[in-house]
Amino acid sequence: MKEPSVTQTKISLWRNSLLRRYLVLALLVAVLPLLVVTWLYDRFTGELLENLGEQKVQHSMNATRAALSGFLKARQFELETIVDLPDIERFVSGDPLSPELESTRALISFETDSFDIYGVLFFDAQWQLKTALPGVVSSGSPYWGEKQLSLAGLPRRNFADFVLIGPQAPLPGRSGWFLFAAPLPATSGETSSSGFVALHVRFASLTELLKSQARIDGFRPLLSTAEGHRFTVNGQPAMEQTPSWLSEEFAPGWSIEVIKHDPAVDLSQELRRPVFLLGVGASVVLVGGFFMTLILRLKRRFVPLIEGAEAVSRGDWNVHIPPDGNDEITLLARAFNRMGGRLKALIDSRLEVEKKAVLGEFSASIAHEVRNPLATIKVCVQSFPVDEDPRSKELITLVLEEIDRVNGVVENLLSFARPFDPERVWFTGGDLLRRLAALIEPLAVRENTNLFLSGDMDACLCVDENQIQQVLMNLALNSIQAMPEGGELRLDVQAFKQNTVITVSDTGSGMTPEALERATEPFYTTRTQGTGLGLSISKRLVQLNGGKLSINSEPGTGTRVSLIFNASKGTHG
């Protein structure tokens, strides 16, 4: 069957196309949520991270405050231990290097064996330095060299029963420090303390506890005092004037401050957003390309269907759509092909019926107009006197033969126009074939044709015997005429389940494909003496008897005509 041409119909993808709408809708469904999510991510991720950072700062603030308070609490325990040592007041009023105080000095050294403490200082009631016991990290004044330590200008804050003095900012060549002091116990007979003992604490040891807070990007921790001094995590004075974002006091007058500022530029962070947006763009392109490819493939699948429908609308019933694939479009293509075949068969059947009706009416009219004059002519010719002239006698005989021949043609026209309704009864195929063989055997012998009967002679069929005998006789005569040099004529009958098949085959010249296609058309014949009604009438008689006539032939190999009848008992009354 003819394939539809891809150039017959032009379908635009962007104009009045369902595929275009499907593409736009698919892209909106797939890409729009992606773009919205991208915008929301780009819009709110920064704020979310900032909020998370703030929450992290608050949690870290609590932990740092606890660490600083713990540091001071540890110094408090150390200082309480030193104050409770025996003869501790003699480090102010007596000789601190006395051998009697050796054990006390050893205990003080044990308690202050820490890198956080420079040493232990003893003051009198007027805060004048009397004794300085060095620790493991002490250096310079007041432990060696000049025994002086000025507390002038340093803030003092009461911390429970203790006193916080300082802090002292680092000076050139000197580290920062602060004092954690407690009054010495009063001696017997005195009502007030004879002096004070103080831990000389490394200030950086306290500020270094802020480092955990400093690890949070975008936030900077400071240690501030009530006097407005700020110190960094290294214990250095801070020049930062930005107001604090969060502040928590961990000791009287001492607070942790957090300053919020823009984070330092991180190259990886700066590149992450463009890379993310590039990935989103690539995803959009890939999604769009995927749907575009899908749409183009669908278009290629739909175009043959549209072109096929256009071809059918033009009357071209031979269009066949290749059913590629195994999906709904394939099922639609197969259904379309079946529809086209059935429409072609229906229209051909309708045309055949109309053609037969026209030919029947025409044949009946012609037969009616011709038969009566022929009968009159024959009667007149038969009434002519017959003389002894041989030529006149021969002419009269020829005229009568031609009248009989024309009358036979008229009879065929009438048979084609108004065939009698069949009187169907059950016969065996053998009876039909044996009777046919008896009738045509003399002619077959004269034409040098070998006649063979074969098959299941007991196969039954329900037909009008006279009509089918007429069909078989016509087919047998055609076969003998197709073998002018002689040959084989085979009559066969076979039973196949519910069908009985009678076959008439010969070894004649056969038919060309064009002749085979038109063999059963009325008035079509390849013989000069034929009327072209024999096979047409035979086909119609077979159909009236509920059968089917099938012809197979090739040039030079002979012809095989099969009559197929339903032999099921349940299909006949």
Side-chain angles (χ1 to χ4, degrees), residues 501-571:
V501 181
I502 300 176
T503 304
V504 179
S505 57
D506 60 58
T507 59
S509 57
M511 290 184 286
T512 63
E514 180 183 0
L516 180 62
E517 185 177 357
R518 301 184 59 191
T520 58
E521 292 183 5
F523 305 110
Y524 176 79
T525 181
T526 57
R527 302 198 306 269
T528 57
Q529 299 297 324
T531 62
L533 291 173
L535 284 177
S536 299
I537 294 174
S538 298
K539 180 179 180 181
R540 191 168 186 188
L541 291 177
V542 170
Q543 291 175 342
L544 288 174
N545 282 270
K548 179 181 178 182
L549 186 145
S550 174
I551 305 176
N552 295 307
S553 181
E554 292 183 5
T557 61
T559 302
R560 178 187 179 91
V561 182
S562 299
L563 308 182
I564 305 171
F565 297 98
N566 191 324
S568 175
K569 294 288 185 179
T571 60

Side-chain angles (χ1 to χ4, degrees), residues 214-230:
R215 296 190 183 98
I216 304 177
D217 191 25
F219 299 90
R220 182 184 182 189
L222 297 174
L223 190 150
S224 67
T225 64
E227 290 74 22
H229 301 298
R230 289 178 169 181

Side-chain angles (χ1 to χ4, degrees), residues 53-200:
E54 292 176 356
Q55 293 180 8
K56 186 176 180 181
V57 167
Q58 292 177 348
H59 290 297
S60 179
M61 171 71 80
N62 296 331
T64 304
R65 181 176 179 275
L68 294 173
S69 299
F71 181 87
L72 295 179
K73 184 66 70 174
R75 306 291 81 79
Q76 178 181 344
F77 291 152
E78 293 170 353
L79 190 56
E80 286 177 345
T81 302
I82 294 173
V83 170
D84 292 336
L85 291 175
D87 298 326
I88 191 66
E89 70 279 356
R90 293 178 59 184
F91 283 88
V92 176
S93 59
D95 184 7
L97 298 179
S98 171
E100 296 177 358
L101 299 178
E102 182 65 30
S103 60
T104 304
R105 286 197 301 271
L107 291 174
I108 293 175
S109 297
F110 177 78
E111 290 295 334
T112 59
D113 186 14
S114 171
F115 288 99
D116 298 328
I117 301 175
Y118 291 126
V120 179
L121 304 179
F122 292 88
F123 298 89
D124 61 14
Q126 287 73 38
W127 289 97
Q128 297 298 318
L129 180 63
K130 294 299 183 179
T131 303
L133 298 180
V136 295
V137 294
S138 61
S139 64
S141 177
Y143 304 102
W144 290 277
E146 296 183 359
K147 302 285 185 177
Q148 293 183 0
L149 181 67
S150 176
L151 301 183
L154 294 180
R156 299 180 186 183
R157 299 283 179 179
N158 292 326
F159 185 73
D161 295 332
F162 303 90
V163 179
L164 275 175
I165 302 174
Q168 172 62 57
L171 299 174
R174 303 292 298 274
S175 299
W177 52 268
F178 70 93
L179 298 182
F180 197 71
L184 291 171
T187 59
S188 58
E190 296 183 358
T191 59
S192 61
S193 174
S194 60
F196 300 89
V197 59
L199 294 179
H200 191 192

